[in-house]
Amino acid sequence: MKLTQLLSWLLAAILLAAPSAAQTLSDDDSSRFSTIPHSAEMERAIVSSPAERLVVMTDGIRETLLTASRIRLDELTGRTEIRGQDPEYTFLSMVYEPERWWDAAILPLEHPRVAEILGADGKWVSAHFVAANPSLARLEGSAAEAAKHKADFDAMTRRLNAAEQVLRLRDRELALSSLATEELPREAILELVEDPAKRRESLRERASLADKVAEEKAFLEATQRLFHRVSMVGGMRDHLVLVPNREDIRGDWFRPGEGTPGRGDEAVFEAAKRLDAALASAFRQAEPSDVPRAVAAFLDVAEDHPSYPPLERRAVKNAYKEMNPFRSAAGLFMASAVGFGFFFFFGRSPLRWIGTGLFGLAFIAQTFGVGTRLYISGHMPVSNMYESITFTCWVAMLLAGGIELRRRDGVAGIGAAILGFLMLAGASSMPLHDTRFHPLRAVLNSYWLNIHVTAMLISYAAFALAAVFAAAYLLKSATGREALFGGRPIMTLDQTEQFTYRLVQVGWPILTLGITLGAVWADVAWGRYWGWDPKETWAFITWIVYTVYLHSRMVMGWRGRLSAAACVLGFVCVVITWLGVSYHPWFSGGLHSYASPT
Amino acid sequence: MDSSIPGESPAARPANPLLRVMDAVDRAILRGWRVFKSLKFGIFLLVLIGAVSVWGTMGYASNASLGDNQIPMARRLVFQTWWFASLLATFAIQLTVSTWHVTVMSVTIWWRREFRRFAAWYAAGGTTPRAVLSVPAERTDDVAALLRRRFTTLQRDDDALFAQRGLLSRLGPTIVHAGMLMVLGSGMARFLLHSQGEVMAEGRFIVAENEASNLIYEPIDEAQAIGGRNVTAREIPEKLYIRVLDFDEIQHPNIGSPAYFSSLVEIVDPLSGQVTVRQLDMNHSMSLHGYQFHQAGYEAVEDETPQRWNFDVRVQSTGERVAVTDAGANTPVRIGDTDYHMIVAAGAPGAPFEIFHRDNPQRILARGTVGGSTGAREFTFEVVQFFPNFQIDPVERKPINAGNEPLNPALQVVTYLDGETSTVEWLFADRELAAIARPQDPVYQLKLADIRVPADAAEVDFQKPGEVKFVLDVVRRSTGASLGQVPLFLDERSRPFAYDLPEIMPQTTGNPATGEDFAVINLGPAQRYLTVLSVVREPTTMFVNLGIGVILIGALMTFLSRYEALHGWHDRASGRFHLTLTPRWGYASEASAAALGALVAEARAKLGVDGELLPYTVRKARKEATESEKSIADPQAITST
């Protein structure tokens, strides 16, 4: 394979990752940006104030004002910044002068039908444009109709589902009495059970409705999001939850001027009121000189409050958000892969050192990311899918780094760099993954999370690397060439196979341990070791594949393409267990649905 | 297809038909043994189980019409069927046979007498590190002494040696397999016990706070498969019942989703009177006569009148908060995360409370009255009985009216607080009796101020409604000051009377010296919850635990210790001593080569002989080695490469 092909691969990967990096609402997005309010003086005042130390309770997490602002702007506009403005300034401007944002075209139109009904000619509209639109009633009517179609479809599905179950079971009478509800009367189920023609007709009807519902789902969701965003423009103040609460039953925080202070909270409530008044006055009179002093005065009181997170934690969190270490690591892995690629093509050692150095930098960035998330959340960063991918990637890179340091031939380096880039770019850009911190679900609030999930992910990391080596083995044996990319010869087939085997030898016992400990946790939490839940079953299937591979390799000396293919198949099973079961609607309803946040 | 056992001639079969049958049975058993001990058969079974599992999840998962019942249906129609259990049982048998086979191999290798032949095998295979020492046959004792220091066991056959170390590692996989067998066996036993009704998988215990029950609800088998609602109930054994004292929920701030929830329950044995208090949460369960209770969920109860209240528990001397907890009347609750429990008689300020340590409920550490703001409350009063001559019946020990003469007037008054009955008490005109009568309300005290009869009445009928007017004096208990007077007739309610009662200070008689001076303040009504506990009965749990323990021990033995075997023999032709080092799985590694190198270096230093490592193939399939083994007839013929 030529270098040009390698480069085109890398370029394609960069282009794939590129759209996710565009997080700023820029001038190219719309021609209506003249309507966006901006006061450079006020922005300077906020940036120069210690506002970055303010903490806002955001979706159950104590976030810094910067992060909270980005979260809200993302919710409102789909972007974390507006036209290069400081997010904190934008957020506070929306809180204290919402009327100025009423005409700003910052709300994205996510569905062409919504744009068509509203008569919008661009991708962005203002809240005023939507609220005062003469076609608003038509849009609401269309959304209501789409919602009704969905409700009809769901009702029909429930009815057919019930009929099918009644037909499957021996005791139909029991099944009928067990399934019938007020919404789903017994007669309606019985009608489908007794009349096959009717059942077929309903199935046909549902199939035809399914297309319509799927088509309308995106429209309905886009409309609902647009209405929510319109309400957000005027209601941003609801999100300025910055008054800490010492201790009560729920521990809720408050907006300035709201709630009743508990014992000892009077001072911070008063300080919040003064800050609120100062900010309101500053925005109203465009007189920002008092803002830094007001913020500092509030922080003087608030930072003594026991519920306020320590300063160093806020600083680390801000640094984490600013650095975006996993995205940086993804870029560095990419560059490292290019360095190693050039090394294999030109065969010059300095190029390998460049690749190794970039790999090392990427690993440091990744380590910072994993360590920061561990420090901030107080538990192993494995509580949602984003964290689990980044953690697994970190373990895989640790293993690969060890191999590379020992062999120093760039083989493990290039394989791991490409794998690291793909994993981190995927984790950051997949829309299902939420990169934010989220409160831990009640059932995950256990030391078993640190043991069971961590063990599983370490094994996944070893299997991911093993799959890379197995794939290289298959590629090399298929082409019959020692040199994979047209450059210098790399690992022999035997060495490639040996690495695959060793990595599976590392991963398999850890996977076994992880599954076993998971069963013990299931017994503790749910009262049974094994329930054939999809996640459990697919973990078992994965274990079978690697058990077969390992035993046949160890005891029978089974090697070659089939053995390598088994290893790749094993990793496919890992991906199904890890991602497929969590995201694919086929596997919904299991007890392991923790991938999405609270 | 040739069905004969290799190495045996068909001509050797007996002529007697009975013996032939027995011989055939023997052969069938032997053949079955060979099939079951083979790894290939084990792999075949594993692949089959894997394929069925894929079908079980994907086949049913992809059937959208099953909706939320995909998993129960897959369980019922695949994973909990006799044929899947049979498949697992077959695998269990294979695992047993192969484990036995491997165990016998592992153990017998320790006493292997034919090691000369195996030495030749490894040497000929060329897959293991090899070395030669220039040692004559007479100095074999010296080599043996050298090996003894480095290896655990050493066997000698003339001038050939066989040494081993890391024997635990060799036995580890066997123990892992034995543990897996225990787990699989437990699974089989569970399948059988389930069919006998000895297993409960989906039981539910649902009780509200302050209430008790001894019933566990369980879905009827088929309804369970479809997530249905038809249930049956069974009692907790030994007549035990469980009272839910407190349900505690902590939410994530501002979003309302639960961060933690737990139930404080007491298990009451009515026969012995023994009461045990336990706390359950999602990761801490409770075992009771074979039933395992797990915190599964909760629901809010809509009570018309408050039955639980929030209490702020503080250290009275410092004012520092210990915790905020909710409690119902007369149900002990745990105070926050401390080891202290509290019991209050009622929610109202002024109600008595007691605090005790979890380990000794009998010893009251602090007692007092609950403080808190009563606020402006609306009271009404009603005289329900009037006895002109109040006396206690000495036999019945009940109040009776001894006559119509007003010799000892007493009236029974009901107080309604915000429309609800609050207290019922007797008021006396006699000062001494009035002084010893115990006030019912913690805040105010009622006194009988006056009894007014119509001035023009010739004979007063005290029991006639509207005839006699009673005047009650409402006195603040803490100060004795009158809050006002309430006039009313028999069987009539007084006009609403609002008292703006200020905050009541909590009182306590704890011991400040030992930190047991608690103050308890009422914060108002609290939400009452219904706790949902899942209940399972899994008789095989102990064996699964044991199996998991055995697996872990086996894994530790496998990975923490490294097995190595060393074969050594004297080659008469070259006059040199050959050594070959064999790791656990028969394949060479750099580590084993280094270990052999170190041995050669030590031999050079201590025995003063020459020695060198010989070249060997890094990796070679076992199959090739086996073929090599066949070609070697006489190991003595091996010469150095």
Side-chain angles (χ1 to χ4, degrees), chain A residues 26-175:
Chain A
S26 68
D27 283 339
D28 299 333
D29 291 323
S30 170
S31 58
R32 302 185 180 205
F33 279 110
S34 56
T35 58
I36 290 179
H38 182 237
S39 161
E41 205 179 352
M42 185 62 84
E43 186 178 16
R44 263 198 307 279
I46 287 168
V47 170
S48 65
S49 77
E52 80 276 0
R53 280 160 50 196
L54 288 173
V55 174
V56 178
M57 183 63 81
T58 308
D59 301 337
I61 294 280
R62 291 173 295 178
E63 299 281 12
T64 57
L65 178 64
L66 177 66
T67 308
S69 304
R70 284 186 169 156
I71 289 170
R72 290 305 161 219
L73 293 183
D74 187 36
E75 190 181 346
L76 181 69
T77 66
R79 301 287 186 271
T80 52
E81 283 179 21
I82 293 180
R83 212 184 180 190
Q85 292 182 6
D86 175 58
E88 294 167 326
Y89 158 74
T90 314
F91 174 69
L92 290 174
S93 169
M94 286 178 176
V95 169
Y96 288 105
E97 44 185 8
E99 65 285 349
R100 291 187 66 195
W101 290 89
W102 191 240
D103 286 315
I106 53 170
L107 311 182
L109 289 174
E110 295 174 331
H111 197 277
R113 201 167 140 205
V114 177
E116 184 197 326
I117 292 174
L118 292 177
D121 54 1
K123 287 193 295 182
W124 305 88
V125 290
S126 67
H128 186 197
F129 176 82
V130 178
N133 197 295
S135 302
L136 185 63
R138 207 177 122 219
L139 182 64
E140 285 172 336
S142 298
E145 198 180 339
K148 186 178 175 304
H149 287 156
K150 188 175 180 308
D152 290 347
F153 178 79
D154 289 346
M156 193 174 286
T157 304
R158 277 198 298 275
R159 194 171 158 214
L160 278 163
N161 176 21
E164 181 146 346
Q165 287 167 60
V166 171
L167 283 165
R168 276 173 190 258
L169 296 175
R170 285 190 306 275
D171 192 341
R172 291 191 178 182
E173 191 50 44
L174 176 66

Side-chain angles (χ1 to χ4, degrees), chain A residues 200-531:
Chain A
R200 280 195 296 275
E201 188 191 331
S202 295
L203 276 170
R204 270 197 303 275
E205 196 182 336
R206 197 187 63 153
S208 66
L209 209 54
D211 293 338
K212 197 172 182 181
V213 167
E215 187 188 312
E216 287 183 332
K217 191 181 169 206
F219 163 73
L220 181 62
E221 288 173 358
T223 309
Q224 286 168 342
R225 270 197 299 276
L226 181 65
F227 289 163
H228 171 66
R229 283 167 168 154
V230 170
S231 70
M232 269 187 89
V233 172
M236 200 57 96
R237 188 180 168 79
D238 291 346
H239 301 290
L240 190 72
V241 184
L242 49 74
V243 189
N245 182 5
R246 187 171 300 266
E247 46 190 341
D248 75 354
I249 293 161
R250 293 181 59 194
D252 284 352
W253 283 30
F254 299 103
R255 288 176 286 272
E258 293 183 2
T260 310
R263 287 180 196 212
D265 289 347
E266 295 84 355
V268 77
F269 270 64
E270 279 306 312
K273 275 186 198 168
R274 285 196 295 274
L275 172 67
D276 189 36
L279 285 171
S281 164
F283 274 100
R284 197 168 49 245
Q285 297 167 10
E287 175 46 61
S289 57
D290 280 348
V291 170
R293 200 167 49 247
V295 173
F298 173 74
L299 283 168
D300 277 349
V301 181
E303 286 182 338
D304 288 337
H305 197 280
S307 297
Y308 228 61
L311 185 60
E312 60 274 13
R313 190 172 295 237
R314 280 173 278 158
V316 168
K317 206 164 187 176
N318 272 342
Y320 173 83
K321 293 285 178 186
E322 284 296 313
M323 276 185 62
N324 206 339
F326 293 118
R327 195 180 288 279
S328 312
L332 286 165
F333 277 132
M334 185 62 174
S336 166
V338 172
F340 281 122
F342 280 126
F343 162 66
F344 283 118
F345 192 77
F346 296 112
R348 293 187 182 164
S349 289
L351 290 169
R352 184 171 66 78
W353 282 112
I354 291 171
T356 308
L358 289 168
F359 187 92
L361 284 177
F363 185 71
I364 289 169
Q366 224 186 345
T367 307
F368 173 73
V370 170
T372 308
R373 290 193 83 101
L374 173 67
Y375 170 68
I376 292 171
S377 61
H379 54 76
M380 287 299 284
V382 293
S383 65
N384 61 33
M385 191 54 79
Y386 175 75
E387 288 188 343
S388 78
I389 293 177
T390 51
F391 178 77
T392 305
C393 182
W394 179 75
V395 176
M397 296 306 109
L398 185 66
L399 286 172
I403 296 171
E404 179 58 37
L405 282 179
R406 189 168 170 183
R407 290 186 55 87
R408 300 187 180 190
D409 59 2
V411 176
I414 190 167
I418 293 171
L419 179 71
F421 167 74
L422 291 176
M423 287 181 85
L424 292 182
S428 300
S429 42
M430 274 175 70
L432 288 168
H433 296 157
D434 195 337
T435 60
R436 290 163 49 191
F437 290 86
H438 285 280
L440 204 58
R441 286 166 181 251
V443 72
L444 296 181
N445 190 7
S446 163
Y447 61 88
W448 284 105
L449 173 77
N450 297 336
I451 301 172
H452 161 62
V453 184
T454 307
M456 294 299 284
L457 295 180
I458 291 173
S459 74
Y460 290 174
F463 293 145
L465 270 186
V468 169
F469 282 108
Y473 182 94
L474 290 173
L475 205 60
K476 276 168 73 77
S477 64
T479 56
R481 294 163 61 177
E482 278 299 295
L484 263 188
F485 301 111
R488 54 181 279 151
I490 54 172
M491 261 184 190
T492 62
L493 271 180
D494 200 39
Q495 286 171 320
T496 315
E497 194 277 340
Q498 188 63 18
F499 270 107
T500 310
Y501 172 55
R502 289 288 178 214
L503 284 162
V504 174
Q505 269 192 322
V506 170
W508 184 82
I510 301 174
L511 176 74
T512 309
L513 188 71
I515 293 175
T516 309
L517 295 175
V520 176
W521 187 11
D523 181 54
V524 170
W526 300 325
R528 90 292 185 281
Y529 284 95
W530 198 261

Side-chain angles (χ1 to χ4, degrees), chain A residues 161 164-165 168 171 174 178 180 247 250 252-253 263 439-440 446 513 521 523-524 527 529 531 538 586, chain B residues 57 61 65-66 69-70 73 75 222 226 228-230 251-254 283 294 314 321 536 545 552 619:
Chain A
N161 176 21
E164 181 146 346
Q165 287 167 60
R168 276 173 190 258
D171 192 341
L174 176 66
S178 186
E247 46 190 341
R250 293 181 59 194
D252 284 352
W253 283 30
R263 287 180 196 212
L440 204 58
S446 163
L513 188 71
W521 187 11
D523 181 54
V524 170
Y529 284 95
W538 273 95
W586 277 9
Chain B
T57 52
S65 70
L66 290 175
N69 297 315
Q70 291 159 350
M73 286 300 271
R75 258 190 225 137
E222 288 224 327
I226 53 173
R229 293 164 292 108
N230 274 13
Q251 296 181 331
H252 291 296
N254 293 74
N283 286 300
H294 303 260
R314 290 172 182 269
R321 172 173 282 164
V536 293
N545 281 335
L552 292 176
R619 301 280 170 255

